[in-house]
Amino acid sequence: MRAQKKSIHMFTTWVRRQPPKVKAFLAVVAGMATLVLLRFIVHDHDNLFVAAEAVHSIGISVLIYKLMKEKTCAGLSLKSQELTAMFLAVRLYCSFVMEYDIHTVLDLATLATTLWVIYMIRFKLRSSYMEDKDNFAIYYVVGPCALLALIIHPSTSHHLFNRICWAFCVYLEAVSVLPQLRVMQNTKIVEPFTAHYVFALGVARFLSCAHWVLQVLDSRGHLLVALGYGLWPSMVLISEVVQTFILADFCYYYIKSVFGGQLVLRLPSGVV
């Protein structure tokens, strides 16, 4: 066990010393290798989406446990939760008017728990809320996402307003975690439950991204055609990749911390 930890420490030390371009290349290689592995292991790629929802639910459960048992919301971003509620509400509207399915039920449950978390932070646990650290201006993401949705949206037969809403929730979901990353960047020290929650988000978004990529590969591009023409199909994939890479750096330090036996995650300068 000690030899294993020493090997992991040597590898992580080597990676940390590499220039940013090499780190980015290693991340891309690792991501592609994982995708290839998932393609051979998971025969029904819809299971990846189910797994993503399951991991997300685990993350929310950890968050609920933190709020109920520890009676504190320290380290959590209220703004990230509000952005999450916003894109979920818009996506629910789109599901009801465009394509109602089981994902609608899952989104409804997630929205309900997210609204509960917002209520707890705003009212019940307000004294422990780190408002000075949660200083990300959300209009920096809401405005550009809305503008981008007006320009690039699906070209399906649905009403224009519904297509714009669909695009808006896709773009907003990709960047909704940014305020939470800003809080962690400001504090530098992330307590265990918050770290578990954010790591679960990272894993869920990677599985969701893998689901989309593998679906496109298996359909030989027909899925992109079904989404419409123009830039929209590419933007869907780009959004999935962006929300995965946003959390990649944090997930790396989380795994390193877990293997190192550290309960509290300490982030070096420049991370997230």
Side-chain angles (χ1 to χ4, degrees):
M1 185 67 179
R2 186 174 298 177
Q4 183 183 9
K5 286 187 176 181
K6 185 177 179 181
S7 300
I8 294 172
H9 176 72
M10 290 177 60
F11 176 74
T12 54
T13 301
W14 177 81
V15 171
R16 190 168 59 249
R17 290 175 178 174
Q18 302 307 306
K21 289 183 178 181
V22 175
K23 290 181 180 178
F25 173 76
L26 292 174
V28 171
V29 170
M32 292 178 64
T34 306
L35 283 176
V36 171
L37 183 63
L38 287 174
R39 188 174 187 182
F40 285 104
I41 293 178
V42 183
H43 299 292
D44 185 357
H45 296 147
D46 283 338
N47 291 334
L48 290 175
F49 188 86
V50 175
E53 293 291 338
V55 173
H56 192 184
S57 299
I58 292 172
I60 293 176
S61 300
V62 170
L63 194 59
I64 292 174
Y65 179 86
K66 169 187 170 69
L67 297 178
M68 294 187 66
K69 297 298 181 181
E70 296 197 345
K71 303 296 183 182
T72 176
C73 62
L76 292 179
S77 168
L78 173 62
K79 294 179 179 178
S80 258
Q81 297 302 317
E82 290 173 340
L83 289 178
T84 300
M86 188 181 301
F87 83 72
L88 283 173
V90 175
R91 191 160 73 187
L92 268 174
Y93 164 77
C94 293
S95 295
F96 279 119
V97 300
M98 297 172 71
E99 48 177 6
Y100 183 86
D101 54 21
I102 185 60
H103 300 153
T104 306
V105 178
L106 296 174
D107 281 344
L108 183 61
T110 305
L111 177 60
T113 55
T114 302
L115 290 175
W116 180 84
V117 170
I118 292 173
Y119 169 77
M120 293 294 289
I121 296 176
R122 276 196 173 277
F123 301 104
K124 295 295 185 179
L125 304 174
R126 182 75 184 186
S127 60
S128 60
Y129 171 48
M130 305 168 68
E131 188 171 1
D132 58 322
K133 304 295 184 183
D134 194 12
N135 55 9
F136 188 93
I138 60 175
Y139 53 82
Y140 283 151
V141 294
V142 175
C145 286
L147 180 61
L148 190 59
L150 285 171
I151 300 172
I152 304 175
H153 48 262
S155 55
T156 57
S157 59
H158 301 94
H159 191 278
L160 176 61
F161 176 76
N162 297 336
R163 288 184 279 139
I164 292 175
C165 287
W166 183 7
F168 175 72
C169 70
V170 168
Y171 300 145
L172 189 60
E173 181 183 12
V175 295
S176 60
V177 76
L178 288 178
Q180 180 62 60
L181 296 181
R182 172 62 67 86
V183 171
M184 295 189 298
Q185 185 182 54
N186 289 336
T187 58
K188 298 300 181 187
I189 297 178
V190 186
E191 56 82 32
F193 287 111
T194 302
H196 298 335
Y197 165 68
V198 177
F199 179 71
L201 287 183
V203 173
R205 292 186 173 182
F206 172 77
L207 291 174
S208 178
C209 179
H211 167 258
W212 274 99
V213 172
L214 293 178
Q215 287 283 76
V216 171
L217 292 176
D218 285 351
S219 66
R220 298 183 179 180
H222 293 302
L223 178 61
L224 293 179
V225 176
L227 290 174
Y229 54 86
L231 294 174
W232 167 246
S234 300
M235 290 302 296
V236 173
L237 286 178
I238 290 173
S239 297
E240 292 289 339
V241 172
V242 165
Q243 62 180 317
T244 300
F245 274 90
I246 283 177
L247 287 166
D249 209 18
F250 171 83
C251 290
Y252 162 74
Y253 283 99
Y254 174 89
I255 295 172
K256 177 185 173 185
S257 177
V258 169
F259 277 106
Q262 300 175 9
L263 294 179
V264 177
L265 178 59
R266 290 176 171 81
L267 299 176
S269 299
V271 178
V272 304

